[in-house]
């Protein structure tokens, strides 16, 4: 019996080509109403939490010895805000302590309890710690330690930036960016120095590795204490912040499965305040792909 040979036409080739491309793409599964509700609540909490950073108006490095600060240019640190005393007080760095002493007749309160204070001492033991928040009228401040340097971080409750902020643009939610990962914990936390937005280094503890697939490729991320992830990708410096984005995951006590929701990648504090000390992604957490999910760099109008 004679068989006519099959002719693979150009049209057939194109048909099979596009079918294969479609088959390789990740399928989008509709997100549940429960997921959408949880995401909306997440966005609301995120924007509410940013109020603190949007009200930051200063980050001043402190010297060992006495540092005077207030509205006058005669101080080591001059603050610019309406109605400030010439000198609010002095901060003396002594060993691992920062001792604040209020100027005469200046009413200073401890923010946490609203109690009046004249002297306050913060003791710093770790490389990255925050002192207590003190306040005078609408102005608030705290001493923070980053590695071996100390800074005075200042917050103004009357900040215009906080009043005008409406949030950030974000990519559409996609189920393909909710991935399952394998968590491999380290025997003990591994400390690594990472760069920060300030141009300094910051020590960060990593507790394990997350292995997962995204867009058909295998990837790994180093995960920090508490499930903290700093992720870089090829959208950085394009549609997203150049210094990467953050996301948290729920880690098991031992090895096991973990969900990474890249839809919840959010901008670090240094995107909306220059007075923060954001860690940047370590080299191993900069992925060689575009992650078209999570927050963008552009603010909502």
């Amino acid at each position: 019996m004679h068989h006519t040979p099959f002719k693979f036409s150009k049209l057939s080739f194109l048909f099979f080509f596009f079918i294969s491309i479609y088959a390789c793409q990740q399928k989008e599964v509709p997100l549940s109403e429960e997921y959408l509700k949880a995401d909306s609540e997440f966005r609301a909490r995120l924007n509410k939490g940013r109020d603190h950073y949007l009200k930051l108006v200063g980050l001043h490095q402190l010297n060992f010895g006495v540092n005077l600060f207030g509205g006058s240019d005669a101080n080591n640190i001059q603050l610019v805000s309406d109605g400030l005393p010439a000198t609010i007080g002095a901060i003396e760095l002594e060993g691992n302590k920062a001792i604040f002493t209020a100027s005469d007749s200046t009413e200073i309160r401890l923010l946490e309890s609203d109690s009046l204070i004249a002297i306050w001492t913060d003791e710093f033991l770790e490389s990255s710690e925050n002192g207590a928040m003190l306040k005078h009228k609408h102005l608030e401040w705290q001493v923070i330690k980053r590695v071996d340097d100390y800074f005075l971080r200042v917050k103004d409750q009357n900040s215009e930036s906080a009043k005008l902020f409406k949030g950030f643009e974000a990519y559409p939610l996609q189920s393909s960016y909710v991935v399952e990962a394998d968590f491999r914990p380290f025997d003990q936390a591994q400390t690594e120095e990472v760069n920060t937005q300030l141009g300094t280094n910051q020590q960060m503890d990593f507790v394990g590795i997350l292995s997962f697939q995204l867009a058909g490729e295998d990837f790994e991320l180093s995960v920090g204490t508490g499930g903290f992830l700093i992720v870089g990708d090829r959208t950085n410096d394009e549609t997203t912040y150049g210094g990467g984005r953050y996301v948290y995951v729920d880690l098991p006590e031992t090895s096991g499965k973990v969900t990474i929701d890249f839809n919840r990648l959010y901008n670090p504090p240094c995107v909306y305040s220059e007075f923060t000390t954001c860690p940047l992604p370590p080299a191993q957490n900069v992925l060689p792909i575009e992650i078209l999910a999570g927050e963008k760099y552009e603010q909502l109008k």
Side-chain angles (χ1 to χ4, degrees):
M1 182 181 293
H2 177 73
H3 294 281
T4 304
F6 176 74
K7 293 183 179 179
F8 198 75
S9 67
K10 184 180 293 185
L11 184 61
S12 299
F13 172 79
L14 291 174
F15 173 77
F16 284 107
F17 174 77
F18 285 114
I19 286 293
S20 64
I21 291 294
Y22 177 79
C24 291
Q25 290 179 336
Q26 290 177 293
K27 293 182 179 179
E28 286 297 328
V29 177
L31 294 164
S32 67
E33 289 295 325
E34 184 181 7
Y35 179 93
L36 297 174
K37 180 182 178 182
D39 185 78
S40 178
E41 292 171 353
F42 167 75
R43 303 287 163 192
R45 291 194 305 271
L46 198 61
N47 283 336
K48 185 176 181 180
R50 285 168 167 164
D51 185 70
H52 165 72
Y53 296 107
L54 288 161
K55 290 177 178 177
L56 295 179
V57 294
L59 186 68
H60 308 274
Q61 188 160 359
L62 296 168
N63 300 315
F64 277 90
V66 176
N67 302 263
L68 299 174
F69 68 100
S72 170
D73 60 6
N75 298 301
N76 304 72
I77 299 169
Q78 183 181 18
L79 305 179
V80 180
S81 187
D82 294 333
L84 291 185
T87 299
I88 293 173
I91 296 171
E92 182 177 5
L93 290 185
E94 181 183 286
N96 63 350
K97 295 180 180 180
I99 305 165
F100 169 78
T101 304
S103 295
D104 293 340
S105 72
T106 303
E107 184 181 282
I108 307 297
R109 293 182 179 272
L110 180 64
L111 183 65
E112 185 178 10
S113 62
D114 201 40
S115 54
L116 281 168
I117 61 136
I119 297 177
W120 182 264
T121 300
D122 287 313
E123 188 168 356
F124 298 90
L125 301 176
E126 303 295 333
S127 64
S128 180
E129 289 190 328
N130 296 339
M133 189 75 78
L134 307 180
K135 69 173 184 176
H136 172 72
K137 296 182 179 178
H138 57 88
L139 202 74
E140 300 169 4
W141 64 89
Q142 64 184 156
V143 177
I144 65 173
K145 182 184 180 184
R146 297 296 182 263
V147 190
D148 295 321
D149 294 321
Y150 293 83
F151 299 87
L152 177 67
R153 188 156 65 182
V154 185
K155 182 178 178 181
D156 191 341
Q157 289 294 342
N158 293 340
S159 166
E160 284 297 316
S161 297
K163 295 175 184 177
L164 297 174
F165 182 71
K166 296 180 180 178
F168 288 102
E169 297 278 0
Y171 284 101
L173 297 173
Q174 300 175 71
S175 61
S176 57
Y177 280 109
V178 184
V179 303
E180 187 178 77
D182 290 310
F183 174 55
R184 304 195 311 274
F186 299 135
D187 292 334
Q188 59 183 27
Q190 297 182 3
T191 301
E192 182 179 338
E193 281 199 347
V194 297
N195 294 326
T196 71
Q197 178 261 351
L198 279 180
T200 58
N201 290 334
Q202 176 178 322
Q203 290 187 329
M204 183 172 172
D205 289 335
F206 293 98
V207 296
I209 299 293
L210 294 173
S211 303
F212 59 97
Q213 277 198 341
L214 187 60
E217 296 185 61
D218 294 323
F219 299 104
E220 290 187 343
L221 290 170
S222 296
V223 59
T225 305
F228 180 50
L229 278 173
I230 312 175
V231 184
D233 71 279
R234 287 184 175 172
T235 66
N236 298 163
D237 278 329
E238 298 294 336
T239 55
T240 64
Y241 176 58
R245 292 174 291 171
Y246 298 167
V247 66
Y248 277 90
V249 297
D250 292 325
L251 294 179
E253 293 184 5
T254 58
S255 58
K257 298 295 183 181
V258 171
T259 297
I260 308 175
D261 190 347
F262 289 103
N263 291 311
R264 291 198 173 179
L265 283 169
Y266 65 91
N267 289 320
C270 46
V271 172
Y272 36 87
S273 174
E274 62 183 301
F275 307 117
T276 54
T277 57
C278 304
L280 304 177
Q284 68 270 24
N285 280 18
V286 180
L287 301 180
I289 58 170
E290 289 186 325
I291 300 181
L292 304 175
E295 283 192 331
K296 298 181 180 181
Y297 192 33
E298 185 178 358
Q299 290 194 26
L300 292 167
K301 305 300 183 185

